[in-house]
């Protein structure tokens, strides 16, 4: 099956990204747009657009029926779901299958296995991956909960089975807090995800987030190296790089092998990522989750491997099999990506929708900008705050970092508040320059500066995660 | 915008050896401006093609992307703004609020533009109804902006006198979401 016309069920920079590859491959693009996005840059770049509903994502980008109907009406032979929205929704994969449309992604069984955190954990164990000690508990069984927490050791992490994107997490420091924390976490999980199940896991105090990029065709699975995404704020990645810096070679090799083993166990088809947690103290790694889609941070992998991951996704979806062998994947240089968001760090990271009145980015060798913005573009309040990704590449990490500092200094976005200043400050920070920071780094870095500047901390904000199937809005 | 990063890098490699500090490249579909600064090059792009699918109703109706209409051209940016209702200012809401305040009511306003929710999750009981007793710190709703759920607080002691927006309705910034009748 050759894909000739591809419907993109997404928006923003990833829509532009997919259109780029399609244009190079000679594939006609149909962009599904909400009313708000009809005048967007991706809409202008696509060969055609098709309206799928109003601005609210529940009626448009999260609407399986509308997306499939749009693909049928425009005679698209494939759907690329991008990331977020319906990308990991088994119902879209099933609906595509039923309608004879190629879904650019894994089959619904893999999406189901990856989407349920406990099921994914079970598959990881079956594939021989280390998982953090823990397990499902009944919040009503106080004895059982206390016994398990005791065996795990404090602090323990209470996690919602249906959670994701940092939602439904709670750290418990001692047995006295356990009962209350369990009850609240379960109630919260029920409220947020319609699933009150919670499980306990050992909490790793100083951990790095390292992930491995996979490509599989259902028979063979290869890896395209690792990425470090430890620079996070409220579980949202801010800076990503490849390869992960200051990782022992033995550890790196075993993490990559573990990810491939899990991919093989799942008979993985498409591009996917195995997220792992690295305990900085013990240098052990543990399985976190599988992301069964293209990821926001995929460009850093592309920059050091020269592989167009979207093109490989499409080739695999066409049934052409893996075109790369493990030995054929060569790594060269170091790449760093920063996410430029419409948010105001000086005002508690308040989101900043509006209209971009000016957008100037850096350009030059080793600089890549993935964006959907230009002067005049709307930044609607209905969607996420990602404005652009700046990706720099250098011969080594130090070279990439120098390039990053210069490239950030030349970016100017007007009309909406951005985190450009924060990104520049992180790029200049000594600890980040050393490399190998843990996931608490950015919040620690922000804390004294927020106080000093008198930045309002703001209340903890919940972040919507489409993966959990919250259909609100 | 219409050129790949590789294309831009190739152009810059050429420009680097030439005595020019600015390149303005325009086709019927896009315009790319490259500028040399002291620290390196910058790029700004403008896709000129009329937005595909504007005004198209329903599936199958999308417009052709290559409609190269001159609109949206060189400068000041109205091009592609589309997005009616996005990020709108809350002027209308403020006006309506004043009427309420004249009647001795205090408006609870949207802190940001976004989607207003009356309940913590779909199907759940609303935070408040008309007649509910509220204190300044009572959560009366949620406004979702850019995937962040912001709690909306009553801000006043009293009872809910009026709920101005339906659940899941879009709220412009500053618009009155509900009105509180102050008092014990």
């Amino acid at each position: 099956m050759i894909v000739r016309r591809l419907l993109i069920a997404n928006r923003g920079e990833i829509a532009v990204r997919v259109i780029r590859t399609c244009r190079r491959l000679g594939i006609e693009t149909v962009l599904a747009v909400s009313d708000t996005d009809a005048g967007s840059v991706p809409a202008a770049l696509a060969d055609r657009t098709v309206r799928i509903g109003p601005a609210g994502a529940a009626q448009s980008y999260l609407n399986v029926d509308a997306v499939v109907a749009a693909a049928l009406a425009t005679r698209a032979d494939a759907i690329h779901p991008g990331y977020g929205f319906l990308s990991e929704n088994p119902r879209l994969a099933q609906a595509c299958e039923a309608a004879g449309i190629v879904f650019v992604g894994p089959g619904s069984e893999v999406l189901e296995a990856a989407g349920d955190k406990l099921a994914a954990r079970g598959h990881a164990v079956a594939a021989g991956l280390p998982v953090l000690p823990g397990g499902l508990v009944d919040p009503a069984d106080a004895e059982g909960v206390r016994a398990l927490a005791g065996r795990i050791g404090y602090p323990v992490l209470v996690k919602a089975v249906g959670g994701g994107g940092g939602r439904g997490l709670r750290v418990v420091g001692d047995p006295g807090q356990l009962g209350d924390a369990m009850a609240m976490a379960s109630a919260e999980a029920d409220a947020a995800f319609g699933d009150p199940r919670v499980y306990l896991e050992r909490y790793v105090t100083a951990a790095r987030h390292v992930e491995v990029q996979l490509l599989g065709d259902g028979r063979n699975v290869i890896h395209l190296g690792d990425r470090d995404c430890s620079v996070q704020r409220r579980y949202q990645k801010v800076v990503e790089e490849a390869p992960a810096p200051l990782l022992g070679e033995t550890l790196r090799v075993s993490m990559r092998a573990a990810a491939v083993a899990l991919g093989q166990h799942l008979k993985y088809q498409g591009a996917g990522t195995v997220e792992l947690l690295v305990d900085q103290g013990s240098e052990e790694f543990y399985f976190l989750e599988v992301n069964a889609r293209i990821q926001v941070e995929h460009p850093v992998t592309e920059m050091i491997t020269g592989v167009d991951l979207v093109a490989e996704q499409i080739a695999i979806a066409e049934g052409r099999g893996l075109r790369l062998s493990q030995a054929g994947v060569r790594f060269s240089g170091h790449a760093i990506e920063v996410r430029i968001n419409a948010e105001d760090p000086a005002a508690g990271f308040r989101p900043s929708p509006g209209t971009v009145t000016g957008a100037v980015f850096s350009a030059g060798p080793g600089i890549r900008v993935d964006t959907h913005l230009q002067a005049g573009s709307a930044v609607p309040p209905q969607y996420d705050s990602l404005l652009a990704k700046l990706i720099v590449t250098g011969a080594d990490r130090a070279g990439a970092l120098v390039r990053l500092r210069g490239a950030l200094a030349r970016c100017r976005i007007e009309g909406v508040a951005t985190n450009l200043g924060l990104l520049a400050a992180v790029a200049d920070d000594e600890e980040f320059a050393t490399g190998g920071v843990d996931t608490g780094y950015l919040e620690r870095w922000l804390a004294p500066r927020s106080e000093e500047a008198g930045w309002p901390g703001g209340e903890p904000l919940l972040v919507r995660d489409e993966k959990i199937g919250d259909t609100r809005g | 915008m219409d050129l790949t990063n590789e294309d831009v890098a190739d152009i810059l490699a050429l420009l680097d050896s030439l005595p020019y500090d600015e390149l303005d490249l325009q086709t019927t579909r896009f315009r790319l401006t490259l500028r040399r600064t002291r620290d390196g090059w910058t790029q700004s792009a403008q896709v000129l093609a009329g937005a595909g699918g504007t005004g198209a109703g329903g599936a199958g109706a999308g417009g052709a992307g290559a409609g190269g209409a001159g609109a949206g051209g060189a400068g000041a940016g109205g091009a592609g703004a589309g997005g009616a209702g996005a990020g709108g200012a809350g002027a209308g809401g403020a006006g309506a609020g004043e009427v309420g305040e004249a009647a001795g009511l205090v408006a609870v306003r949207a802190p940001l533009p976004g989607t207003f929710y009356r309940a913590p999750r779909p199907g759940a009981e609303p935070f408040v109804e008309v007649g509910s007793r509220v204190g300044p710190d009572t959560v009366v709703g949620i406004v979702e902006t850019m995937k962040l759920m912001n709690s909306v607080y009553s801000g006043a002691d009293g009872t809910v006198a009026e709920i101005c927006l339906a659940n899941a309705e879009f709220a412009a910034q500053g618009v009155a979401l509900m009105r509180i009748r102050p008092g014990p």
Side-chain angles (χ1 to χ4, degrees):
Chain A
M1 164 88 207
I2 303 280
V3 173
R4 292 203 165 78
R5 184 180 293 163
L6 179 86
L7 180 123
I8 300 162
N10 215 300
R11 62 180 306 283
E13 67 86 20
I14 194 63
V16 174
R17 167 72 191 81
V18 175
I19 290 168
R20 281 263 156 78
T21 286
C22 288
R23 190 166 289 176
R24 185 168 66 74
L25 299 176
I27 297 171
E28 200 185 323
T29 52
V30 180
L31 183 67
V33 294
S34 70
D35 293 344
T36 293
D37 285 334
S40 67
V41 166
L45 290 174
D47 294 309
R48 299 177 66 176
T49 61
V50 56
R51 182 193 169 276
I52 50 164
Q59 286 89 50
S60 50
Y61 299 109
L62 286 169
N63 185 338
V64 173
D65 295 338
V67 166
V68 173
L72 290 172
T74 55
R75 297 175 193 277
D77 35 38
I79 292 180
H80 194 300
Y83 52 68
F85 295 129
L86 294 174
S87 59
E88 292 173 277
N89 189 316
R91 278 188 51 230
L92 177 61
Q94 281 157 3
C96 282
E97 204 174 306
I101 298 167
V102 172
F103 176 72
V104 182
S108 55
E109 318 79 51
V110 169
L111 293 176
E112 265 156 20
D116 180 314
K117 292 207 152 190
L118 267 185
R121 189 182 147 101
H123 283 291
V125 171
L129 272 71
V131 296
L132 286 159
L136 190 66
V137 283
D138 174 5
D141 172 19
E143 278 298 294
V145 171
R146 204 164 313 134
L148 179 61
R151 283 202 299 280
I152 293 169
Y154 290 87
V156 292
L157 189 62
V158 184
K159 289 174 112 170
V161 172
R167 297 182 68 175
L169 294 179
R170 195 168 284 261
V171 182
V172 180
D174 62 75
Q177 308 170 349
L178 192 60
D180 285 354
M182 290 293 298
M184 282 174 72
S186 180
E188 261 177 30
D190 192 22
F193 319 117
D195 180 353
R197 289 181 300 156
V198 288
Y199 63 107
L200 294 182
E201 227 174 55
R202 185 202 290 161
Y203 178 71
V204 179
T205 316
R208 291 173 62 182
H209 175 120
V210 179
E211 57 188 32
V212 179
Q213 176 68 54
L214 296 181
L215 280 177
D217 62 8
R219 294 176 300 280
N220 299 305
V221 176
I222 60 168
H223 73 79
L224 279 81
D226 42 78
R227 297 186 284 259
D228 190 312
C229 315
S230 300
V231 181
Q232 306 183 354
R233 182 180 163 272
R234 295 196 171 148
Y235 303 100
Q236 302 296 302
K237 296 166 184 171
V238 179
V239 181
E240 300 104 338
E241 56 187 302
L246 303 181
L247 205 62
E249 212 41 43
T250 318
L251 184 57
R252 193 189 304 277
V253 168
S254 37
M255 288 171 76
R256 290 172 170 183
V260 169
L262 179 54
Q264 275 160 349
H265 168 82
L266 292 170
K267 298 190 171 51
Y268 200 89
Q269 195 166 4
T273 297
V274 178
E275 294 193 341
L276 302 164
L277 179 149
V278 178
D279 184 331
Q280 272 191 322
S282 65
E283 300 233 316
E284 307 270 344
F285 73 90
Y286 303 95
F287 169 78
L288 275 182
E289 60 181 67
V290 177
N291 291 320
R293 53 172 158 85
I294 192 85
Q295 281 193 282
V296 177
E297 60 270 27
H298 76 275
V300 291
T301 296
E302 294 186 325
M303 297 325 286
I304 65 161
T305 59
V307 174
D308 178 337
L309 284 168
V310 173
E312 295 312 309
Q313 280 189 300
I314 294 170
I316 292 165
E318 286 177 326
R320 288 202 253 165
L322 272 182
R323 302 185 293 186
L324 284 160
S325 67
Q326 190 63 66
V329 179
R330 297 293 168 86
F331 302 99
S332 153
H334 193 98
I336 306 176
E337 170 182 287
V338 294
R339 299 192 190 187
I340 304 172
N341 294 329
E343 63 189 12
D344 188 355
F349 289 86
R350 182 186 170 95
S352 180
T355 301
V356 170
T357 52
V360 175
F361 296 99
S362 40
I367 295 174
R368 164 175 169 181
V369 179
D370 282 18
T371 186
H372 57 296
L373 293 179
Q374 61 187 25
S377 291
V379 181
Q382 287 90 354
Y383 313 113
D384 70 29
S385 62
L386 185 62
L387 297 173
K389 304 186 304 201
L390 170 65
I391 305 108
V392 297
T393 313
D396 55 19
R397 188 168 189 269
L401 210 46
V402 168
R403 192 159 269 162
L404 176 64
R405 292 180 190 129
L408 274 169
R410 283 177 275 146
C411 292
R412 294 267 178 285
I413 296 176
E414 284 147 23
V416 296
T418 74
N419 62 341
L420 271 168
L422 170 68
L423 296 172
V426 169
D428 275 334
D429 182 60
E430 217 173 295
E431 193 181 345
F432 177 69
T434 304
V437 297
D438 72 302
T439 53
Y441 157 76
L442 186 57
E443 307 254 14
R444 275 198 311 276
W445 188 92
L446 281 166
R449 286 161 181 85
S450 311
E451 258 168 50
E452 216 171 280
W455 293 351
E459 65 190 277
L461 296 171
L462 284 176
V463 180
R464 174 191 288 281
D465 183 359
E466 266 105 24
K467 202 202 294 193
I468 62 173
D470 184 346
T471 53
R472 199 154 48 177
Chain B
M1 211 66 239
D2 209 33
L3 292 175
T4 66
N5 285 284
E6 293 77 39
D7 294 335
V8 172
D10 286 350
I11 295 169
L12 288 178
L14 281 173
L15 277 179
D16 259 336
S17 56
L18 298 170
Y20 303 116
D21 290 332
E22 185 168 323
L23 172 77
D24 206 2
L25 198 63
Q26 184 161 352
T27 73
T28 51
R29 284 179 57 81
F30 71 93
R31 175 180 175 170
L32 174 72
T33 307
L34 296 171
R35 275 203 188 87
R36 196 198 303 260
T37 71
R38 253 194 341 200
D39 311 310
W41 290 91
T42 66
Q43 56 176 322
S44 58
Q46 200 76 29
V47 177
L48 302 180
T54 305
E98 278 146 26
V99 176
E101 272 134 38
L105 303 180
V106 179
V108 180
R109 301 187 182 281
L112 288 164
T115 310
F116 172 59
Y117 297 109
R118 291 194 49 205
R121 70 181 167 102
E125 288 295 307
F127 290 104
V128 292
E129 297 283 4
V130 171
S132 295
R133 278 284 307 150
V134 294
D137 298 329
T138 306
V139 174
V140 296
I142 291 172
V143 170
E144 181 188 2
T145 306
M146 303 187 113
K147 292 172 76 180
L148 292 173
M149 302 292 182
N150 300 276
S151 299
V152 179
Y153 297 93
S154 155
D157 251 319
T159 50
V160 177
E162 189 189 345
I163 296 173
C164 315
L165 287 187
N167 187 56
E169 207 172 323
F170 184 81
Q173 182 160 3
V175 79
L177 301 170
M178 46 186 83
R179 297 197 170 84
I180 311 293
R181 186 178 306 284

